[in-house]
Amino acid sequence: MNVTLPDGTVLTLADGASTADVAAEIGPGLARVALAGVVTCAGHDGEVFDLHRSLPADCNIKILTATDADADSLLLLRHSAAHIMAEAICKLFPETKLVYGPPLEDGFYYDIDLDHSITPDDFPKIEEEMRRIVKENRRFSRVDMTREEGLCKLRDEGSRYKIDNAERAEGDALSFYVTGENVGTDFEDLCRGPHIPATGVVKAFQVRQVSRSHYRGDVNDQPLQRVYGTAFLKKSSLKDHNERLEEAKKRDHRVLGKELDLFTIDEVAGQGMILWLPNGAVVRTELQNYLSAEMVKLGYSMVYTPHIGRLKMYRTSGHFPYYKESQFPPMFENERARVLNDLWEACYARGDAEGFSEAEQGAMAALEVTDDSAGLRLTEKGYAAVADGKERNLKAIEALLEEGDGFLLRPMNCPHHIRIYASRPRSYRDLPVRLAEYGTVYRYEQSGELSGMTRVRGFTQDDAHLFCTEAQLADELLTTVKLTRQVLEMLGLSDYRVRIGLRDEASDKYVGSKESWERAEAAVRKAARDSGVEFSEEAGEAAFYGPKIDFVVKDCIGRSWQLGTVQADYNQPERFDLTYVDRDNKPHRPVMVHRAPFGSMERFVGILIEHFAGAFPLWLSPVQVGVVSVSEKSEAFSREVYDSLQKAGLRARLDVSGEKIGPKKHRLRAAKVNYILVVGEQEFASRTVNVNERGGKTIGNLSIEAFIKACREEIDTNSLCSLLVKD
């Protein structure tokens, strides 16, 4: 077999060779640190193979090594660490029923069904048992079975969770991993893999926390415990990780948001609903003002649309029922509309040839739906729809819904913008049409998944939708990618990677023709290349209507966040029958671009709070300057200084209380106010202000005119640092 390395070198090995054999062929140094192989060939697109698993004939391979610098190596390690933790828990609590345990970007977890409540007091015992398993350096052994054999084995063992996982698994085979060589006695788990060669590879780990969860996220199903941990290949990496976590606690936007009066979440108003306080509203408004000014330069038009829309519109777009589980329940005009919608959903979900249930027949009979009602007819088997297939059946029900329908809190803004485009005839001379809105959308996230501003139920997108000809698509995509980069880099979020999300051809969630997808995917690849960014491609990460370019940003303490997005869409214009008249005087189909540089304003501001630790640059700060008087003798001049700042457009705060100057300055520093102006008798006499930076540096005395001029320059240039502080 021929194995091609990343540098193009081709090695010829015996059939059945493994990644370990490839590493040994290259050299003993690589063989010592090799963990697994990333294999690409027919049937295996970047699949990770265990170190000793036989490779398919003729493939490309990248060898993963024992380094914490490689994300793939860490995922592999953490998947294995999850098994080690699961074994330790089972040893300590034999009645444990295992559910599943995936790796995460910063660790891993395992969901377990256990009557005993695991608490932080149990963590040292679990870690001690894990150390014993690691010290034994047992091999991870893969056992493959046919699907029938594997299911038979699991049914004999009787775990509903493992049986369910196996039944949901794709393919004709099931695999198990034994932590050791002794099948039947050593710990084993149903798992697709891959894993590290042996338990001893794990050099540093920690059990971090435990929380509640439910099986498959269903609150009506079995409550579970989710035990979290993390693992690294070096102890120093774990130490660095813990230091970052401590820093993250100091920057927690939920804590800083309360301390700085930026936002609140009120149980009476509703979980997951952000109430922006005046200070937070300033930050949001300044961000929106910046982006709005940039959009004016690029020819965007601002629009406003309702927070609610007719269900028919979302059926057409595909958002309903594709994302029904994450949407708020529809609101129906009447009971007839509710029943017909239930019928539509049933028809959507079932096969073409099936009739309706007795309950559905009864519901239709009560509505007097007969063979005269828009295509629904009575058959020997009961009520059915016209015989031409599901699409025709759906249209028959939709015709009945024209007499009364439901409404939905909007899950996305794009259908509303589509209807604005469709509000009048369009010519090729009108295109591109660029519509933008700061539009609030709603998702019914599970309460256990809500987290401050970063996971909410109502959020505002800096949304825009561009309608263009196919010939204009490349330029529009490139411009939006550049705008997204500009926004992120202007805020110091310049450490990012670009991910192109493509469709998974094996999935049925994507709408539209293969041809339109291929054109859209080629367009986003070209836009990413032409913008000069490096990018990766990930199948299955596309939106259901088109591929996308996502910006995954690292903040100042190394955490990754998916923020801006740019998407190409041939399918929504098709679904809504959008047209424009071209030079040939015939109707043609436009192409859509969806883009949001910030993404969610709530999430973006939450991330910014943590990125800046609440100490915003001057142009974003809710309070930019504090003025404090030393005594009553300087009070009048302090007020004069304050008035001058206000007139210059600076956000200022005045403190002329009789309190000592120290506590006054301390309060302003705690509030992260950028500059503190101390005004005493000396300043009054010289008509200057003593300028202090919030970090504690004294800048010195300046005239109020000079200070205002410096502040205006700092604001107008969107500077991230003080122009008055000299290094």
Side-chain angles (χ1 to χ4, degrees):
M1 61 187 296
N2 291 324
V3 177
T4 304
L5 304 178
D7 65 358
T9 302
V10 178
L11 302 179
T12 301
L13 301 169
D15 288 344
S18 66
T19 302
D21 296 322
V22 177
E25 183 74 12
I26 295 171
L30 180 60
R32 282 193 297 272
V33 297
L35 297 181
V38 183
V39 176
T40 300
C41 64
H44 304 278
D45 185 11
E47 182 180 347
V48 181
F49 273 49
D50 297 323
L51 188 65
H52 297 287
R53 182 181 173 188
S54 296
L55 298 171
D58 292 355
C59 61
N60 290 41
I61 187 169
K62 169 193 169 186
I63 296 178
L64 299 181
T65 59
T67 171
D68 290 325
D70 189 296
D72 290 332
S73 295
L74 278 179
L75 280 176
L76 183 73
L77 178 86
R78 289 164 177 168
H79 189 184
S80 302
H83 277 234
I84 294 171
M85 185 180 73
E87 180 180 350
I89 292 172
C90 288
K91 181 70 179 294
L92 293 169
F93 310 105
E95 66 276 22
T96 300
K97 300 181 183 71
L98 298 177
V99 184
Y100 33 59
L104 305 170
E105 184 177 350
D106 61 350
F108 57 86
Y109 71 79
Y110 217 112
D111 277 356
I112 61 171
D113 181 351
L114 177 64
D115 290 338
H116 168 84
S117 292
I118 289 181
T119 70
D121 292 338
D122 295 313
F123 294 175
K125 291 185 293 184
I126 296 171
E127 290 174 353
E128 182 59 34
E129 187 62 28
M130 291 175 70
R131 278 190 286 273
R132 183 189 65 79
I133 297 167
V134 168
K135 187 175 180 180
E136 291 175 352
N137 196 26
R138 283 186 265 141
R139 176 174 172 170
F140 279 94
S141 303
R142 181 185 175 101
V143 178
D144 289 303
M145 296 185 180
T146 66
R147 188 179 186 85
E148 184 178 343
E149 290 172 337
L151 281 169
C152 183
K153 167 183 165 61
L154 292 170
R155 286 171 183 143
D156 287 342
E157 294 170 357
S159 170
R160 64 163 286 209
Y161 306 114
K162 296 301 179 181
I163 293 170
D164 189 25
N165 290 340
E167 288 176 342
R168 291 169 181 265
E170 299 177 354
D172 299 325
L174 295 173
S175 59
F176 297 78
Y177 276 82
V178 180
T179 314
E181 303 281 352
N182 304 310
V183 178
T185 56
D186 285 334
F187 176 81
E188 66 178 53
D189 198 4
L190 172 72
C191 182
R192 288 179 297 186
H195 284 285
I196 55 178
T199 60
V201 174
V202 183
K203 301 301 182 186
F205 56 84
Q206 190 173 43
V207 180
R208 298 207 58 88
Q209 67 183 76
V210 62
S211 65
R212 301 281 291 178
S213 65
H214 287 83
Y215 186 54
R216 300 286 173 192
D218 184 353
V219 294
N220 298 313
D221 207 325
Q222 177 66 33
L224 304 171
Q225 297 181 72
R226 178 167 292 179
V227 187
Y228 288 90
T230 193
F232 292 90
L233 288 151
K234 289 183 178 180
K235 291 181 180 179
S236 60
S237 297
L238 177 59
K239 180 175 179 290
D240 292 342
H241 176 73
N242 285 333
E243 288 175 353
R244 286 194 298 271
L245 288 179
E246 286 303 312
E247 181 64 24
K249 286 180 183 177
K250 297 175 188 175
R251 295 169 176 264
D252 191 329
H253 75 278
R254 293 165 295 185
V255 176
L256 290 173
K258 184 176 182 180
E259 291 176 354
L260 302 176
D261 287 330
L262 297 169
F263 72 95
T264 188
I265 299 172
D266 183 81
E267 290 296 321
V268 176
Q271 282 189 324
M273 302 296 183
I274 301 300
L275 302 179
W276 293 82
L277 302 179
N279 283 352
V282 168
V283 179
R284 171 172 164 169
T285 300
E286 290 297 331
L287 289 170
Q288 292 182 180
N289 287 346
Y290 171 83
L291 184 58
S292 296
E294 295 303 308
M295 289 193 295
V296 168
K297 299 174 189 175
L298 294 172
Y300 283 75
S301 298
M302 297 300 297
V303 297
Y304 296 94
T305 59
H307 291 233
I308 190 172
R310 188 179 170 191
L311 269 177
K312 175 182 179 180
M313 179 170 66
Y314 295 112
R315 292 191 194 100
T316 302
S317 71
H319 293 97
F320 186 87
Y322 279 101
Y323 297 126
K324 182 187 174 187
E325 297 306 315
S326 60
Q327 295 170 359
F328 280 86
M331 298 163 278
F332 296 101
E333 293 185 61
N334 49 49
E335 181 63 12
R336 182 178 190 277
R338 186 191 66 77
V339 172
L340 285 171
N341 181 73
D342 289 346
L343 178 62
W344 185 92
E345 289 189 55
C347 182
Y348 182 89
R350 66 163 52 96
D352 289 350
E354 295 182 32
F356 295 109
S357 69
E358 288 186 17
E360 291 164 348
Q361 294 174 40
M364 287 186 283
L367 297 177
E368 299 183 351
V369 174
T370 68
D371 57 334
D372 294 323
S373 297
L376 290 169
R377 59 188 177 83
L378 185 63
T379 70
E380 291 181 3
K381 295 183 179 180
Y383 279 99
V386 289
D388 296 275
K390 183 166 71 174
E391 292 303 317
R392 180 80 181 272
N393 300 346
L394 291 172
K395 285 181 170 34
I397 302 168
E398 287 165 5
L400 295 171
L401 281 164
E402 290 296 332
E403 300 174 26
D405 200 355
F407 291 84
L408 189 68
L409 279 172
R410 64 179 176 192
M412 293 293 281
N413 298 305
C414 38
H416 290 268
H417 292 186
I418 287 169
R419 298 315 304 165
I420 289 177
Y421 175 89
S423 64
R424 67 176 179 82
R426 305 284 179 175
S427 161
Y428 70 93
R429 295 185 181 88
D430 302 322
L431 272 54
V433 172
R434 306 180 184 96
L435 304 177
E437 177 180 14
Y438 297 103
T440 304
V441 297
Y442 302 90
R443 311 281 173 81
Y444 192 73
E445 302 283 2
Q446 297 296 321
S447 59
E449 296 176 340
L450 299 173
S451 179
M453 300 183 87
T454 57
R455 195 73 180 265
V456 294
R457 286 176 170 163
F459 56 95
T460 303
Q461 294 178 309
D462 59 320
D463 224 349
H465 297 92
L466 292 68
F467 303 83
C468 61
T469 69
E470 189 165 21
Q472 294 167 336
L473 179 61
D475 286 342
E476 294 303 310
L477 284 171
L478 179 58
T479 300
T480 55
V481 169
K482 287 180 176 178
L483 176 62
T484 304
R485 294 184 66 185
Q486 175 185 328
V487 167
L488 295 176
E489 291 168 11
M490 177 268 302
L491 288 161
L493 299 170
S494 53
D495 185 4
Y496 55 77
R497 66 182 178 89
V498 173
R499 176 183 66 202
I500 294 183
L502 307 173
R503 76 194 185 287
D504 179 356
E505 294 187 11
S507 173
D508 61 358
K509 85 168 188 176
Y510 303 100
V511 300
S513 68
K514 181 179 180 181
E515 180 189 14
S516 69
W517 272 92
E518 288 174 348
R519 296 204 304 271
E521 289 176 348
V524 296
R525 284 191 183 101
K526 184 177 187 305
R529 280 196 301 268
D530 290 351
S531 72
V533 299
E534 294 184 4
F535 60 88
S536 61
E537 297 184 1
E538 294 185 30
E541 289 297 320
F544 73 89
Y545 46 75
K548 56 181 182 171
I549 303 171
D550 288 333
F551 287 77
V552 182
V553 180
K554 272 192 178 181
D555 65 15
C556 61
I557 57 174
R559 297 167 302 179
S560 294
W561 307 90
Q562 194 272 299
L563 295 178
T565 187
V566 178
Q567 305 166 1
D569 180 6
Y570 281 77
N571 290 308
Q572 292 294 338
E574 183 75 28
R575 293 171 77 90
F576 281 94
D577 193 25
L578 301 184
T579 61
Y580 67 93
V581 177
D582 210 343
R583 290 179 175 85
D584 59 6
N585 209 31
K586 294 179 181 178
H588 292 260
R589 193 78 72 205
V591 185
M592 279 183 70
V593 175
H594 308 241
R595 53 105 283 207
F598 293 132
S600 154
M601 297 303 298
E602 285 74 8
R603 188 164 189 255
F604 195 88
V605 170
I607 291 166
L608 276 190
I609 293 170
E610 299 191 357
H611 181 68
F612 291 120
F616 294 106
L618 188 64
W619 68 279
L620 278 179
S621 279
V623 182
Q624 297 164 321
V625 187
V627 182
V628 294
S629 60
V630 175
S631 66
E632 287 186 14
K633 294 179 181 179
S634 57
E635 179 179 336
F637 185 54
S638 297
R639 293 185 183 279
E640 184 182 335
V641 169
Y642 173 76
D643 290 342
S644 297
L645 296 172
Q646 293 279 83
K647 290 175 183 176
L650 295 173
R651 296 184 288 273
R653 180 180 295 174
L654 175 66
D655 187 347
V656 291
S657 66
E659 197 172 11
K660 290 183 178 180
I661 197 69
K664 291 182 181 182
K665 291 168 69 176
H666 176 75
R667 273 197 302 275
L668 291 170
R669 288 195 182 107
K672 312 290 187 183
V673 176
N674 299 64
Y675 296 115
I676 302 166
L677 306 186
V678 178
V679 181
E681 292 181 54
Q682 180 181 341
E683 285 72 32
F684 173 46
S686 61
R687 299 197 59 81
T688 62
V689 289
N690 184 260
V691 184
N692 297 258
E693 192 265 339
R694 63 184 164 200
K697 291 183 179 179
T698 300
I699 295 169
N701 281 43
L702 293 173
S703 69
I704 188 60
E705 294 79 13
F707 175 74
I708 289 174
K709 180 180 179 183
C711 286
R712 289 293 353 150
E713 181 182 355
E714 193 172 322
I715 292 167
D716 294 342
T717 57
N718 303 114
S719 176
L720 296 179
C721 57
S722 170
L723 299 183
L724 288 169
V725 175
K726 307 300 181 184
D727 293 332

